[in-house]
Amino acid sequence: MSILDGWDGWDGWDGWDGWDGWGSGSGSRGPRGNNAMALLRSREAVVGPYGGSGQLRMPRGTADLPEAHDTDALMSWSRDVRHRILLNELLSSVQYEASVGRVMLAHGNQLIAGVSRPNSKLFEAQANLVEEWAIHRAERAAEILAQQKLNLAFWDAIVPLNPRTTPFTIELILLSVAFTSHVVQRFKHELNCPRPRAYSPRIQPLLAEPGYSVLPSGHATESFMLAGLLASLIQPKKQQPPARAAEQKAWFDETSLQMHRLAARIATNRVVAGIHFPVDNAAGQLLGVTLAEFIEHCALGSQGRGWIPREFLGTHGLLTGRFEFDPFDRTQSLVEPRDDYVKTNLDARSGTKVTAPIEMIEWIWGKARAEWE
């Protein structure tokens, strides 16, 4: 799924672009068109006739041009412009290597994540599971419909997100979702796996079928990325009085758990709706968790935790027609050593920490993190 398809269309909050009553929808503070004639007359009265007064430069503390390549200049640009600049920084930091049925994502010469697709027999067998899960459609229909696009109301219900108090957190969320969407669409294109109804006319999906491939699940990828990203941002300060530290840890642990439960439910709802297989969610969780770690690394570099390179092996024997996605099952853990349908290289994590952060991603992360301190 793409941010251009409406993941940033949080309609209830889009109005904050015009917080001052006269900002344009793009975030610039310029007059609306119906003020043009009034401003024309006002200028004539206020400025008076041309007087040839020469330069009347606004004081900047220097007579020279503003500093070039100044990361702090991002603060002067509108949010949509910052979004494009920062998205370009993230996208240009990764490379893809695709072979038949397999895609690898890397940062320089270091693996971030890889996915190889299952064979058609697994998808055909899992179609029976998708049909079984259709029994839950009636009770989950409201959620399924509300979660077609990124709906931050679900996340705000767990951790407070507000355009006035956490504007940079919201910017970082939309940036990270856009980056993740670009990555997952490249994986989907290369792996090219049909959706469930291609295997059975009994599926009859609840939603219109998206116009792209099924593996990995975009909702799972983006939701688990978002759960990991927010968990990193809201971590309590390390230096706290013991009593306060215990309180904050209890809040953080519960909040993080609920966010990961939400990510799992959003992913599962796509299977219930009949447009994904459980195996799609397993691949999406792996990609999303790893991308959250990578985005944090782009901001923190060696001061962060690095990321764990992981690969999803779709043809592994443990993936059967009865495989059910359950991220809270320890056998499906992504933070412990694995060498089955998931390969985790824990030893490589220390190596990922040595690469430098991306300066502009470090800037937006710092702004967002400060909103939680």
Side-chain angles (χ1 to χ4, degrees), residues 108-143:
N109 61 358
Q110 293 177 312
L111 174 68
I112 300 173
V115 176
S116 60
R117 71 180 190 175
N119 56 40
S120 61
K121 291 187 180 297
L122 176 62
F123 286 125
E124 186 175 353
Q126 286 228 313
N128 295 323
L129 202 56
V130 176
E131 182 184 345
E132 289 179 23
W133 285 21
I135 196 173
H136 301 292
R137 287 182 187 174
E139 67 183 76
R140 296 199 182 198
E143 290 176 62

mmCIF file of all heavy atoms in Angstrom, residues 108-143:
data_model
loop_
_atom_site.group_PDB
_atom_site.id
_atom_site.type_symbol
_atom_site.label_atom_id
_atom_site.label_comp_id
_atom_site.label_asym_id
_atom_site.label_seq_id
_atom_site.Cartn_x
_atom_site.Cartn_y
_atom_site.Cartn_z
ATOM 1 N N GLY A 108 24.419 -0.344 1.857
ATOM 2 C CA GLY A 108 25.818 -0.579 1.495
ATOM 3 C C GLY A 108 26.027 -2.064 1.272
ATOM 4 O O GLY A 108 25.288 -2.716 0.529
ATOM 5 N N ASN A 109 27.014 -2.635 1.960
ATOM 6 C CA ASN A 109 27.272 -4.080 1.818
ATOM 7 C C ASN A 109 26.669 -4.879 2.963
ATOM 8 O O ASN A 109 27.004 -6.049 3.146
ATOM 9 C CB ASN A 109 28.778 -4.350 1.729
ATOM 10 C CG ASN A 109 29.526 -3.887 2.977
ATOM 11 O OD1 ASN A 109 28.917 -3.323 3.887
ATOM 12 N ND2 ASN A 109 30.826 -4.119 3.007
ATOM 13 N N GLN A 110 25.752 -4.273 3.732
ATOM 14 C CA GLN A 110 25.166 -4.962 4.881
ATOM 15 C C GLN A 110 23.701 -5.287 4.622
ATOM 16 O O GLN A 110 22.899 -4.407 4.279
ATOM 17 C CB GLN A 110 25.302 -4.092 6.138
ATOM 18 C CG GLN A 110 26.755 -3.911 6.576
ATOM 19 C CD GLN A 110 26.869 -2.991 7.771
ATOM 20 O OE1 GLN A 110 26.286 -1.910 7.790
ATOM 21 N NE2 GLN A 110 27.611 -3.415 8.772
ATOM 22 N N LEU A 111 23.347 -6.553 4.799
ATOM 23 C CA LEU A 111 21.966 -6.984 4.609
ATOM 24 C C LEU A 111 21.056 -6.333 5.645
ATOM 25 O O LEU A 111 21.392 -6.261 6.823
ATOM 26 C CB LEU A 111 21.877 -8.508 4.736
ATOM 27 C CG LEU A 111 20.460 -9.105 4.709
ATOM 28 C CD1 LEU A 111 19.827 -8.938 3.338
ATOM 29 C CD2 LEU A 111 20.481 -10.575 5.128
ATOM 30 N N ILE A 112 19.905 -5.858 5.188
ATOM 31 C CA ILE A 112 18.856 -5.409 6.106
ATOM 32 C C ILE A 112 17.837 -6.538 6.271
ATOM 33 O O ILE A 112 17.633 -7.051 7.369
ATOM 34 C CB ILE A 112 18.165 -4.138 5.586
ATOM 35 C CG1 ILE A 112 19.174 -2.994 5.441
ATOM 36 C CG2 ILE A 112 17.028 -3.735 6.536
ATOM 37 C CD1 ILE A 112 18.600 -1.753 4.767
ATOM 38 N N ALA A 113 17.206 -6.940 5.165
ATOM 39 C CA ALA A 113 16.202 -8.003 5.229
ATOM 40 C C ALA A 113 16.031 -8.621 3.863
ATOM 41 O O ALA A 113 16.271 -7.983 2.834
ATOM 42 C CB ALA A 113 14.869 -7.453 5.737
ATOM 43 N N GLY A 114 15.585 -9.869 3.864
ATOM 44 C CA GLY A 114 15.316 -10.575 2.616
ATOM 45 C C GLY A 114 14.053 -11.403 2.738
ATOM 46 O O GLY A 114 13.665 -11.813 3.837
ATOM 47 N N VAL A 115 13.400 -11.647 1.611
ATOM 48 C CA VAL A 115 12.196 -12.479 1.568
ATOM 49 C C VAL A 115 12.257 -13.341 0.323
ATOM 50 O O VAL A 115 12.527 -12.837 -0.775
ATOM 51 C CB VAL A 115 10.905 -11.630 1.539
ATOM 52 C CG1 VAL A 115 9.671 -12.539 1.392
ATOM 53 C CG2 VAL A 115 10.775 -10.773 2.790
ATOM 54 N N SER A 116 12.014 -14.645 0.492
ATOM 55 C CA SER A 116 11.832 -15.524 -0.663
ATOM 56 C C SER A 116 10.409 -16.073 -0.622
ATOM 57 O O SER A 116 9.849 -16.298 0.454
ATOM 58 C CB SER A 116 12.857 -16.661 -0.663
ATOM 59 O OG SER A 116 12.749 -17.449 0.506
ATOM 60 N N ARG A 117 9.818 -16.264 -1.781
ATOM 61 C CA ARG A 117 8.397 -16.588 -1.808
ATOM 62 C C ARG A 117 8.137 -18.088 -1.653
ATOM 63 O O ARG A 117 8.953 -18.923 -2.069
ATOM 64 C CB ARG A 117 7.765 -16.083 -3.094
ATOM 65 C CG ARG A 117 8.159 -16.830 -4.343
ATOM 66 C CD ARG A 117 7.451 -16.238 -5.564
ATOM 67 N NE ARG A 117 7.623 -17.065 -6.745
ATOM 68 C CZ ARG A 117 7.027 -16.822 -7.911
ATOM 69 N NH1 ARG A 117 6.242 -15.764 -8.042
ATOM 70 N NH2 ARG A 117 7.218 -17.619 -8.937
ATOM 71 N N PRO A 118 6.980 -18.459 -1.082
ATOM 72 C CA PRO A 118 6.580 -19.870 -1.033
ATOM 73 C C PRO A 118 6.196 -20.368 -2.420
ATOM 74 O O PRO A 118 6.089 -19.588 -3.369
ATOM 75 C CB PRO A 118 5.360 -19.844 -0.100
ATOM 76 C CG PRO A 118 5.394 -18.516 0.588
ATOM 77 C CD PRO A 118 6.058 -17.580 -0.376
ATOM 78 N N ASN A 119 5.954 -21.659 -2.507
ATOM 79 C CA ASN A 119 5.468 -22.184 -3.782
ATOM 80 C C ASN A 119 3.943 -22.135 -3.822
ATOM 81 O O ASN A 119 3.280 -21.853 -2.816
ATOM 82 C CB ASN A 119 5.984 -23.616 -4.024
ATOM 83 C CG ASN A 119 5.608 -24.564 -2.896
ATOM 84 O OD1 ASN A 119 4.498 -24.507 -2.373
ATOM 85 N ND2 ASN A 119 6.532 -25.438 -2.525
ATOM 86 N N SER A 120 3.376 -22.412 -4.965
ATOM 87 C CA SER A 120 1.925 -22.279 -5.148
ATOM 88 C C SER A 120 1.153 -23.266 -4.282
ATOM 89 O O SER A 120 0.017 -22.991 -3.882
ATOM 90 C CB SER A 120 1.559 -22.476 -6.621
ATOM 91 O OG SER A 120 1.937 -23.764 -7.061
ATOM 92 N N LYS A 121 1.758 -24.419 -3.964
ATOM 93 C CA LYS A 121 1.050 -25.414 -3.147
ATOM 94 C C LYS A 121 0.769 -24.874 -1.743
ATOM 95 O O LYS A 121 -0.281 -25.166 -1.157
ATOM 96 C CB LYS A 121 1.856 -26.708 -3.076
ATOM 97 C CG LYS A 121 1.923 -27.472 -4.402
ATOM 98 C CD LYS A 121 2.572 -28.815 -4.215
ATOM 99 C CE LYS A 121 2.634 -29.576 -5.540
ATOM 100 N NZ LYS A 121 1.272 -29.856 -6.063
ATOM 101 N N LEU A 122 1.701 -24.101 -1.196
ATOM 102 C CA LEU A 122 1.468 -23.523 0.123
ATOM 103 C C LEU A 122 0.323 -22.509 0.063
ATOM 104 O O LEU A 122 -0.568 -22.524 0.916
ATOM 105 C CB LEU A 122 2.740 -22.853 0.652
ATOM 106 C CG LEU A 122 2.566 -22.138 1.999
ATOM 107 C CD1 LEU A 122 2.172 -23.122 3.092
ATOM 108 C CD2 LEU A 122 3.836 -21.399 2.398
ATOM 109 N N PHE A 123 0.340 -21.635 -0.920
ATOM 110 C CA PHE A 123 -0.744 -20.664 -1.037
ATOM 111 C C PHE A 123 -2.086 -21.369 -1.228
ATOM 112 O O PHE A 123 -3.100 -20.971 -0.647
ATOM 113 C CB PHE A 123 -0.483 -19.717 -2.210
ATOM 114 C CG PHE A 123 0.597 -18.707 -1.946
ATOM 115 C CD1 PHE A 123 1.682 -18.593 -2.801
ATOM 116 C CD2 PHE A 123 0.530 -17.862 -0.855
ATOM 117 C CE1 PHE A 123 2.669 -17.646 -2.580
ATOM 118 C CE2 PHE A 123 1.517 -16.913 -0.621
ATOM 119 C CZ PHE A 123 2.592 -16.808 -1.483
ATOM 120 N N GLU A 124 -2.097 -22.413 -2.041
ATOM 121 C CA GLU A 124 -3.340 -23.149 -2.293
ATOM 122 C C GLU A 124 -3.861 -23.773 -1.002
ATOM 123 O O GLU A 124 -5.064 -23.725 -0.715
ATOM 124 C CB GLU A 124 -3.088 -24.234 -3.344
ATOM 125 C CG GLU A 124 -4.339 -24.963 -3.779
ATOM 126 C CD GLU A 124 -4.070 -25.937 -4.913
ATOM 127 O OE1 GLU A 124 -2.937 -25.955 -5.448
ATOM 128 O OE2 GLU A 124 -5.003 -26.688 -5.266
ATOM 129 N N ALA A 125 -2.952 -24.331 -0.199
ATOM 130 C CA ALA A 125 -3.364 -24.942 1.063
ATOM 131 C C ALA A 125 -3.823 -23.874 2.062
ATOM 132 O O ALA A 125 -4.784 -24.085 2.810
ATOM 133 C CB ALA A 125 -2.207 -25.755 1.643
ATOM 134 N N GLN A 126 -3.146 -22.720 2.069
ATOM 135 C CA GLN A 126 -3.536 -21.672 3.010
ATOM 136 C C GLN A 126 -4.852 -21.001 2.627
ATOM 137 O O GLN A 126 -5.497 -20.370 3.470
ATOM 138 C CB GLN A 126 -2.427 -20.623 3.110
ATOM 139 C CG GLN A 126 -1.205 -21.103 3.895
ATOM 140 C CD GLN A 126 -0.748 -20.086 4.929
ATOM 141 O OE1 GLN A 126 -0.631 -18.911 4.637
ATOM 142 N NE2 GLN A 126 -0.490 -20.566 6.141
ATOM 143 N N ALA A 127 -5.274 -21.142 1.393
ATOM 144 C CA ALA A 127 -6.570 -20.581 0.992
ATOM 145 C C ALA A 127 -7.695 -21.193 1.814
ATOM 146 O O ALA A 127 -8.701 -20.526 2.113
ATOM 147 C CB ALA A 127 -6.806 -20.813 -0.501
ATOM 148 N N ASN A 128 -7.552 -22.453 2.206
ATOM 149 C CA ASN A 128 -8.554 -23.092 3.062
ATOM 150 C C ASN A 128 -8.614 -22.399 4.419
ATOM 151 O O ASN A 128 -9.692 -22.224 4.996
ATOM 152 C CB ASN A 128 -8.227 -24.569 3.248
ATOM 153 C CG ASN A 128 -8.329 -25.351 1.956
ATOM 154 O OD1 ASN A 128 -9.215 -25.092 1.130
ATOM 155 N ND2 ASN A 128 -7.427 -26.306 1.752
ATOM 156 N N LEU A 129 -7.452 -21.996 4.936
ATOM 157 C CA LEU A 129 -7.398 -21.298 6.220
ATOM 158 C C LEU A 129 -8.054 -19.917 6.104
ATOM 159 O O LEU A 129 -8.778 -19.474 6.998
ATOM 160 C CB LEU A 129 -5.940 -21.162 6.665
ATOM 161 C CG LEU A 129 -5.660 -20.951 8.157
ATOM 162 C CD1 LEU A 129 -6.270 -22.060 8.989
ATOM 163 C CD2 LEU A 129 -4.162 -20.865 8.394
ATOM 164 N N VAL A 130 -7.806 -19.239 4.994
ATOM 165 C CA VAL A 130 -8.427 -17.932 4.768
ATOM 166 C C VAL A 130 -9.947 -18.080 4.749
ATOM 167 O O VAL A 130 -10.674 -17.257 5.329
ATOM 168 C CB VAL A 130 -7.927 -17.313 3.447
ATOM 169 C CG1 VAL A 130 -8.659 -15.999 3.158
ATOM 170 C CG2 VAL A 130 -6.421 -17.075 3.504
ATOM 171 N N GLU A 131 -10.432 -19.133 4.108
ATOM 172 C CA GLU A 131 -11.876 -19.355 4.072
ATOM 173 C C GLU A 131 -12.425 -19.600 5.474
ATOM 174 O O GLU A 131 -13.487 -19.088 5.845
ATOM 175 C CB GLU A 131 -12.207 -20.542 3.164
ATOM 176 C CG GLU A 131 -13.707 -20.785 3.038
ATOM 177 C CD GLU A 131 -14.041 -22.018 2.216
ATOM 178 O OE1 GLU A 131 -13.157 -22.525 1.506
ATOM 179 O OE2 GLU A 131 -15.208 -22.469 2.300
ATOM 180 N N GLU A 132 -11.700 -20.355 6.288
ATOM 181 C CA GLU A 132 -12.133 -20.616 7.664
ATOM 182 C C GLU A 132 -12.237 -19.312 8.459
ATOM 183 O O GLU A 132 -13.179 -19.111 9.227
ATOM 184 C CB GLU A 132 -11.155 -21.565 8.360
ATOM 185 C CG GLU A 132 -11.185 -22.990 7.862
ATOM 186 C CD GLU A 132 -10.171 -23.865 8.578
ATOM 187 O OE1 GLU A 132 -9.771 -23.502 9.701
ATOM 188 O OE2 GLU A 132 -9.755 -24.895 8.006
ATOM 189 N N TRP A 133 -11.267 -18.438 8.263
ATOM 190 C CA TRP A 133 -11.219 -17.202 9.054
ATOM 191 C C TRP A 133 -12.316 -16.226 8.649
ATOM 192 O O TRP A 133 -12.579 -15.254 9.369
ATOM 193 C CB TRP A 133 -9.849 -16.546 8.901
ATOM 194 C CG TRP A 133 -8.770 -17.247 9.670
ATOM 195 C CD1 TRP A 133 -8.781 -18.533 10.114
ATOM 196 C CD2 TRP A 133 -7.518 -16.691 10.087
ATOM 197 N NE1 TRP A 133 -7.606 -18.834 10.764
ATOM 198 C CE2 TRP A 133 -6.809 -17.712 10.766
ATOM 199 C CE3 TRP A 133 -6.916 -15.453 9.938
ATOM 200 C CZ2 TRP A 133 -5.545 -17.523 11.299
ATOM 201 C CZ3 TRP A 133 -5.650 -15.266 10.475
ATOM 202 C CH2 TRP A 133 -4.977 -16.285 11.151
ATOM 203 N N ALA A 134 -12.975 -16.477 7.535
ATOM 204 C CA ALA A 134 -14.065 -15.600 7.110
ATOM 205 C C ALA A 134 -15.203 -15.576 8.115
ATOM 206 O O ALA A 134 -16.025 -14.646 8.111
ATOM 207 C CB ALA A 134 -14.574 -16.030 5.736
ATOM 208 N N ILE A 135 -15.247 -16.562 9.000
ATOM 209 C CA ILE A 135 -16.300 -16.608 10.013
ATOM 210 C C ILE A 135 -16.249 -15.400 10.940
ATOM 211 O O ILE A 135 -17.229 -15.026 11.568
ATOM 212 C CB ILE A 135 -16.206 -17.929 10.819
ATOM 213 C CG1 ILE A 135 -17.498 -18.170 11.601
ATOM 214 C CG2 ILE A 135 -14.997 -17.913 11.742
ATOM 215 C CD1 ILE A 135 -17.551 -19.526 12.291
ATOM 216 N N HIS A 136 -15.075 -14.747 11.016
ATOM 217 C CA HIS A 136 -14.903 -13.592 11.913
ATOM 218 C C HIS A 136 -15.229 -12.260 11.235
ATOM 219 O O HIS A 136 -15.093 -11.202 11.863
ATOM 220 C CB HIS A 136 -13.460 -13.545 12.420
ATOM 221 C CG HIS A 136 -13.036 -14.766 13.175
ATOM 222 N ND1 HIS A 136 -13.550 -15.098 14.403
ATOM 223 C CD2 HIS A 136 -12.133 -15.745 12.860
ATOM 224 C CE1 HIS A 136 -12.994 -16.221 14.835
ATOM 225 N NE2 HIS A 136 -12.130 -16.632 13.915
ATOM 226 N N ARG A 137 -15.639 -12.280 9.990
ATOM 227 C CA ARG A 137 -15.835 -11.022 9.257
ATOM 228 C C ARG A 137 -16.903 -10.133 9.887
ATOM 229 O O ARG A 137 -16.725 -8.911 9.965
ATOM 230 C CB ARG A 137 -16.168 -11.302 7.793
ATOM 231 C CG ARG A 137 -14.981 -11.781 6.984
ATOM 232 C CD ARG A 137 -15.345 -12.001 5.533
ATOM 233 N NE ARG A 137 -14.235 -12.628 4.812
ATOM 234 C CZ ARG A 137 -14.306 -13.046 3.562
ATOM 235 N NH1 ARG A 137 -15.439 -12.899 2.873
ATOM 236 N NH2 ARG A 137 -13.265 -13.622 2.982
ATOM 237 N N ALA A 138 -18.007 -10.696 10.308
ATOM 238 C CA ALA A 138 -19.096 -9.886 10.846
ATOM 239 C C ALA A 138 -18.642 -9.109 12.076
ATOM 240 O O ALA A 138 -18.918 -7.913 12.206
ATOM 241 C CB ALA A 138 -20.300 -10.761 11.177
ATOM 242 N N GLU A 139 -17.940 -9.767 12.986
ATOM 243 C CA GLU A 139 -17.531 -9.096 14.225
ATOM 244 C C GLU A 139 -16.390 -8.105 13.999
ATOM 245 O O GLU A 139 -16.216 -7.163 14.774
ATOM 246 C CB GLU A 139 -17.099 -10.122 15.277
ATOM 247 C CG GLU A 139 -15.833 -10.881 14.926
ATOM 248 C CD GLU A 139 -15.474 -11.949 15.946
ATOM 249 O OE1 GLU A 139 -16.125 -13.016 15.937
ATOM 250 O OE2 GLU A 139 -14.559 -11.698 16.754
ATOM 251 N N ARG A 140 -15.623 -8.276 12.912
ATOM 252 C CA ARG A 140 -14.462 -7.405 12.684
ATOM 253 C C ARG A 140 -14.657 -6.438 11.514
ATOM 254 O O ARG A 140 -13.739 -5.693 11.176
ATOM 255 C CB ARG A 140 -13.211 -8.257 12.415
ATOM 256 C CG ARG A 140 -12.787 -9.123 13.591
ATOM 257 C CD ARG A 140 -11.350 -9.546 13.433
ATOM 258 N NE ARG A 140 -10.895 -10.407 14.500
ATOM 259 C CZ ARG A 140 -9.619 -10.653 14.794
ATOM 260 N NH1 ARG A 140 -8.673 -10.075 14.053
ATOM 261 N NH2 ARG A 140 -9.276 -11.444 15.782
ATOM 262 N N ALA A 141 -15.830 -6.430 10.927
ATOM 263 C CA ALA A 141 -16.043 -5.626 9.716
ATOM 264 C C ALA A 141 -15.757 -4.147 9.944
ATOM 265 O O ALA A 141 -15.143 -3.491 9.090
ATOM 266 C CB ALA A 141 -17.472 -5.821 9.210
ATOM 267 N N ALA A 142 -16.191 -3.598 11.080
ATOM 268 C CA ALA A 142 -15.968 -2.171 11.339
ATOM 269 C C ALA A 142 -14.471 -1.861 11.379
ATOM 270 O O ALA A 142 -14.005 -0.863 10.805
ATOM 271 C CB ALA A 142 -16.630 -1.763 12.653
ATOM 272 N N GLU A 143 -13.697 -2.716 12.054
ATOM 273 C CA GLU A 143 -12.246 -2.523 12.109
ATOM 274 C C GLU A 143 -11.624 -2.652 10.723
ATOM 275 O O GLU A 143 -10.777 -1.837 10.331
ATOM 276 C CB GLU A 143 -11.601 -3.563 13.025
ATOM 277 C CG GLU A 143 -11.893 -3.404 14.495
ATOM 278 C CD GLU A 143 -11.273 -4.541 15.282
ATOM 279 O OE1 GLU A 143 -10.027 -4.674 15.265
ATOM 280 O OE2 GLU A 143 -12.021 -5.302 15.914
#
